[in-house]
């Protein structure tokens, strides 16, 4: 694992049904890119998204970009770093955005079958442009940080 791949700027937003997440995503990444530029850090690599589905048709979206060094965040943008020893279980998915949950189900089964424990929220690393609709064809890596005997 490349150490530079472990440093992220993240921005979290909660949206309710009726809000278009496909319009929200570019806004979140624009904020992150602007924050990185203002703090003289270089975005490196892919764009990451974590979706947390909450009660009441509410979704918490966390957008993240890799950056080349640790900086101070602010009240909206956080700088986070995965520990260097962090074990990541990764699966791949390519297809319509709306069907990506098949990859989630497969990953959850793998984690359960191998008696692994999640260390933090899973996230989607986008290897394609961000989706603009449920039917957008995406290519992602689905990544689960794992707490296991290997990582301890």
């Amino acid at each position: 694992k490349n150490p530079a791949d472990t440093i992220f700027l993240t921005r979290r937003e909660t949206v309710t049904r009726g809000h278009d997440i496909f319009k929200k995503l570019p806004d979140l990444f624009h904020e992150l890119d602007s924050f990185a530029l203002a703090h003289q850090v270089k975005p490196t690599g892919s764009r990451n998204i974590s979706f947390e589905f909450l009660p009441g048709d509410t979704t918490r979206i966390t957008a993240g970009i890799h950056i080349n060094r640790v900086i101070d965040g602010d009240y909206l943008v956080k700088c986070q770093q995965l520990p260097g020893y962090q074990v990541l279980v990764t699966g791949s998915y390519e297809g319509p955005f709306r069907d990506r949950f098949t990859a989630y189900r497969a990953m959850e089964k793998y984690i359960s079958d191998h008696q692994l424990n999640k260390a933090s929220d899973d996230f989607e690393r986008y290897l394609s442009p961000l989706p603009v609709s449920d039917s957008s064809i995406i290519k992602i890596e689905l990544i689960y940080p794992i707490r296991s005997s290997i990582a301890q």
Side-chain angles (χ1 to χ4, degrees):
K1 171 169 53 172
N2 179 349
D5 287 343
T6 66
I7 306 167
F8 299 87
L9 283 181
T10 61
R11 169 77 165 81
R12 182 173 283 177
E13 183 81 20
T14 301
V15 296
T16 56
R17 185 165 54 169
H19 286 86
D20 188 347
I21 65 165
F22 303 109
K23 290 181 181 172
K24 180 52 78 177
L25 291 174
D27 294 343
L28 291 172
F29 284 110
H30 177 74
E31 287 180 45
L32 291 170
D33 289 336
S34 296
F35 191 90
L37 181 64
H39 290 83
Q40 300 174 338
V41 293
K42 182 180 177 186
T44 60
S46 59
R47 299 191 176 283
N48 304 307
I49 305 169
S50 178
F51 296 96
E52 182 181 358
F53 300 99
L54 305 171
D57 292 325
T58 302
T59 303
R60 182 176 296 140
I61 303 167
T62 303
I65 59 172
H66 297 276
I67 56 173
N68 61 331
R69 64 183 171 85
V70 175
I71 60 171
D72 290 331
D74 66 12
Y75 67 100
L76 289 176
V77 176
K78 306 294 180 215
C79 185
Q80 300 176 305
Q81 185 169 16
L82 289 173
Y85 58 83
Q86 182 69 61
V87 174
L88 303 175
V89 175
T90 304
S92 298
Y93 171 78
E94 188 168 356
F97 177 80
R98 70 175 161 264
D99 295 338
R100 73 194 191 290
F101 293 107
T102 59
Y104 278 91
R105 285 191 291 277
M107 291 294 288
E108 293 288 343
K109 181 175 180 350
Y110 178 89
I111 288 167
S112 175
D113 288 352
H114 290 84
Q115 300 177 345
L116 301 172
N117 296 307
K118 294 185 226 175
S120 62
D121 292 338
D122 53 76
F123 59 95
E124 300 171 5
R125 175 180 292 159
Y126 279 75
L127 306 174
S128 62
L130 294 174
V132 295
S133 72
D134 266 347
S135 60
S136 293
I137 301 301
I138 59 168
K139 183 176 183 178
I140 62 171
E141 291 178 338
L142 182 55
I143 300 171
Y144 284 75
I146 295 296
R147 180 182 304 116
S148 71
S149 58
I150 297 169
Q152 296 173 3

